[in-house]
Amino acid sequence: MSMEGTPVPPQQDGGFQELIKRFWGFDHLIGSALIKIIYYIGLVVILITTVLAMFGGGIMGALTDGGGGGFFMFILAPIGGIIYLVFWRFICEMWLLMFLMYNRMGEIRDRLPPR
């Protein structure tokens, strides 16, 4: 706060310029943030697909063969959704691991004594 009691805005350390510098340079990759966004988009797609398969398969099964196949699809769709979800999480973690290894190796390089 200032002497008059009014709050002083926090000093900005060039946030936008830092973002542009980070985006333009390749010292720090933006891939880890991008992987998280892709993960959440894939998560939504898997959930929507699972729900549609559950209820769509159930309705089609009920209309065509008296409901036996629909009940079967209602049970199998969530199991398939869980399997896809675990696989998707694993794939995204592997991508994220590659970016984290790159960043960590840069930190190790920076700590090495100069030649």
Side-chain angles (χ1 to χ4, degrees), residues 26-73:
F26 283 93
D27 294 333
H28 298 283
L29 299 179
I30 62 170
S32 58
L34 199 59
I35 296 298
K36 291 175 187 175
I37 293 170
I38 291 171
Y39 170 73
Y40 289 122
I41 291 171
L43 183 67
V44 169
V45 169
I46 290 171
L47 292 175
I48 290 172
T49 304
T50 301
V51 169
L52 288 176
M54 281 175 59
F55 294 109
I59 291 170
M60 289 303 290
L63 293 176
T64 57
D65 64 359
F71 179 73
F72 188 66
M73 188 64 172

Side-chain angles (χ1 to χ4, degrees), residues 1-2 8-9 11 13-14 20-21 33 37 40 47 50 52-54 70-71 73 79 85 95-97 99-100 110:
M1 291 203 157
S2 68
V8 176
Q11 295 293 324
D13 56 328
I20 295 297
K21 190 186 305 182
I37 293 170
Y40 289 122
L47 292 175
T50 301
L52 288 176
M54 281 175 59
F71 179 73
M73 188 64 172
I79 294 170
L85 182 63
W95 288 340
L96 192 59
L97 183 62
F99 287 108
L100 292 175
D110 293 341

